[in-house]
Amino acid sequence: LQTNLGEAYQHRLVGKRSDNLEQAITCYRQALQVFTFEDAPHLHAETYARLGTAYRERLTGEHHDNLDQALSCYDQALRIYTLLAFPQEHRRVQLACAETHAQRGDWLAAHQACMAASEAENLLVALGTGVMGRDAILKEGGDATVHDGFALLRLGRIAEAAVTVERGRARGLAEALQFNAADPALITDADRRTRYIHARRAFVEAQASLHAPLPSDLDEDGRRRVELERTATYRAAKSAFDALVAAIRAAEDPTDFLNETFAASSILETAARC
C-alpha cells in the first residue's frame, strides 16, 4: 500500500509538485521497512528504483544532493537487478543512472551507464523472447545508444558517438542478420544441432519463467524461495547455452555463429562509401 501510495503521489497532478514528491519519498521509505533485501528482494529493488526517480525529480533541497541520493537508490536496486538475472530491469535502471549522471554533468559516468544498458539490450535482443526481449527494445524507446551518443558527443568523442548512434539505428537489420547466422540448420553436426535447439529453448523458457508473476498464495519466504530458484535455473540455462555456442564456434560449424554483425569498422567503412 505504501509503494502504491508513493507512486500515486509521484504522478499526482493536484497540489504542489514539491509537496507531492516529498510525500512519495516518505511512502517509499515506509515501504522499504517491510520490503527488505533479505525478505523481499524483487520488491526491495523496485521500490528503490522508484525512490531514486523521486529523488531525481525532487524540487526541495540541494539539487546535487538529491541526484547523489538518486544514484545511491539506483545502486541499491542494481544489487538485485543484475544483468543476467533481470536484464530488462537492469537496462531500465541503468538508463535512469545515465540520465542522473547527465544532470550532474558527469558525462563519462553517463557513458558507462549507457554501455551497461546497451549490454542488457543486446542480451534481450539475442534471447528473442517476444515482449520480454526484442519487442521491449525495438518498440519501447529510450534506446541506450542514442543517450550514449549524446554523452560521447559531450566528451568530445564525435566519431565514436556517430558509430554508436548508427549501431543503434541498424539494430533491427543487425538482429535479422544475426538470427539468420544463428539458424540451427547451419550446424552440420546433428548432435550439436539438437543440443543447441534444446539449450536455446531452455534458456528462453528460463528467462520467461524468471519474469512470470509469482503465485498469489505465497508468503514472503515462499516468494523469496521461488525467486531464488528461478534465478538459479536461469543462470544454469545461460551458462549451458553460452558453453554450447562456444563449442559451435570452436568447431567452426559455422565460424560466425551468433557473432555481432555490425562492428564499428563495418559502419565506418559503409559511411565512407556513401
Side-chain angles (χ1 to χ4, degrees):
L1 287 172
Q2 287 289 348
T3 301
N4 291 338
L5 187 58
E7 187 173 13
Y9 274 118
Q10 192 168 354
H11 298 288
R12 191 184 191 202
L13 300 179
V14 177
K16 290 185 177 180
R17 175 67 173 158
S18 59
D19 292 341
N20 288 333
L21 286 172
E22 293 305 305
Q23 288 281 7
I25 290 171
T26 298
C27 292
Y28 290 142
R29 290 289 184 190
Q30 290 288 332
L32 285 168
Q33 295 184 32
V34 177
F35 292 159
T36 64
F37 180 87
E38 294 78 13
D39 295 330
H42 192 285
L43 295 171
H44 177 85
E46 183 57 36
T47 304
Y48 259 119
R50 295 180 184 182
L51 181 60
T53 301
Y55 272 116
R56 179 159 53 86
E57 298 173 351
R58 193 183 193 193
L59 300 175
T60 61
E62 293 293 331
H63 184 57
H64 192 277
D65 292 340
N66 289 334
L67 295 179
D68 285 345
Q69 285 277 16
L71 289 171
S72 178
C73 291
Y74 292 142
D75 285 342
Q76 289 294 325
L78 289 171
R79 294 173 64 196
I80 303 296
Y81 290 159
T82 61
L83 173 64
L84 292 182
F86 298 97
Q88 189 167 0
E89 287 81 359
H90 183 82
R91 166 186 175 267
R92 173 168 52 87
V93 176
Q94 289 288 5
L95 285 174
C97 287
E99 187 170 343
T100 307
H101 285 303
Q103 291 183 32
R104 297 174 77 246
D106 189 345
W107 298 107
L108 179 59
H111 164 59
Q112 292 169 342
C114 286
M115 288 180 62
S118 184
E119 188 177 1
E121 291 186 356
N122 291 337
L123 176 58
L124 287 165
V125 170
L127 288 176
T129 52
V131 174
M132 297 309 300
R134 62 179 298 279
D135 292 349
I137 306 306
L138 298 177
K139 297 178 182 178
E140 182 181 304
D143 194 335
T145 58
V146 175
H147 294 282
D148 197 16
F150 186 77
L152 288 166
L153 186 65
R154 296 302 297 266
L155 289 169
R157 295 155 63 174
I158 298 174
E160 191 176 347
V163 169
T164 298
V165 172
E166 287 300 330
R167 181 182 287 116
R169 281 156 47 89
R171 185 184 297 279
L173 179 57
E175 181 202 11
L177 294 177
Q178 184 182 57
F179 274 96
N180 282 338
D183 186 351
L186 298 176
I187 304 172
T188 59
D189 183 87
D191 179 61
R192 269 196 299 269
R193 182 169 60 249
T194 300
R195 287 191 291 128
Y196 170 77
I197 293 172
H198 289 313
R200 186 179 188 280
R201 183 184 301 121
F203 188 15
V204 171
E205 289 175 353
Q207 205 266 349
S209 175
L210 192 65
H211 293 278
L214 293 171
S216 58
D217 58 344
L218 291 178
D219 57 17
E220 290 298 336
D221 287 340
R223 291 173 65 90
R224 184 184 180 205
R225 184 178 63 255
V226 172
E227 286 173 344
L228 290 174
E229 290 173 352
R230 289 180 178 181
T231 301
T233 300
Y234 175 85
R235 288 175 175 169
K238 173 75 164 57
S239 178
F241 179 79
D242 288 344
L244 192 51
V245 170
I248 293 170
R249 290 174 179 168
E252 298 185 353
D253 184 26
T255 306
D256 60 349
F257 196 74
L258 268 180
N259 278 336
E260 182 180 356
T261 305
F262 283 86
S265 58
S266 300
I267 294 174
L268 289 174
E269 181 180 352
T270 302
R273 291 174 178 269
C274 293

